[in-house]
Amino acid sequence: MAYLGSVSGRDEDKIAKTGLTPVYADNSVYFQEAKLVLVCKKLYASELQESGFLYQDTIDESYPQRDFHTMYVGKIEKVLVRDDEYLG
């Protein structure tokens, strides 16, 4: 997760590099190796703004280049759980 969250897919094929197996379903994609998948409907999207952060440390540590993420609000429509996670 640390690798996927720190490398841009615009710069390299990070999915291929991790060896994850994409599964395409419900007009979305998730990974076969996932233990839990939340299938969500996007309800709202907004670019994070520097003025909205309560602590300067958060900006300095997480966004030193001021390359803020987009925040999404979603409605969970389906939960997928791998069966083998609960088999003795």
Side-chain angles (χ1 to χ4, degrees), residues 15-38:
I15 303 307
K17 202 168 193 177
T18 61
L20 292 171
T21 309
V23 175
Y24 299 91
D26 296 314
N27 296 315
S28 190
V29 62
Y30 60 92
F31 301 108
Q32 181 177 331
E33 295 80 5
K35 296 178 183 181
L36 174 72
V37 175
L38 302 176

Side-chain angles (χ1 to χ4, degrees), residues 4 29 31 38 50 53-54:
L4 291 173
V29 62
F31 301 108
L38 302 176
E50 188 166 354
F53 285 89
L54 300 178

Side-chain angles (χ1 to χ4, degrees), residues 45-77:
S46 180
E47 297 296 321
L48 293 177
Q49 302 290 319
E50 188 166 354
S51 62
F53 285 89
L54 300 178
Y55 303 101
Q56 184 65 38
D57 289 353
T58 304
I59 296 170
D60 296 341
E61 293 171 14
S62 300
Y63 300 102
Q65 305 299 317
R66 305 305 192 257
D67 54 341
F68 300 112
H69 288 91
T70 302
M71 177 185 67
Y72 293 92
V73 175
K75 174 184 173 187
I76 299 172
E77 297 202 320

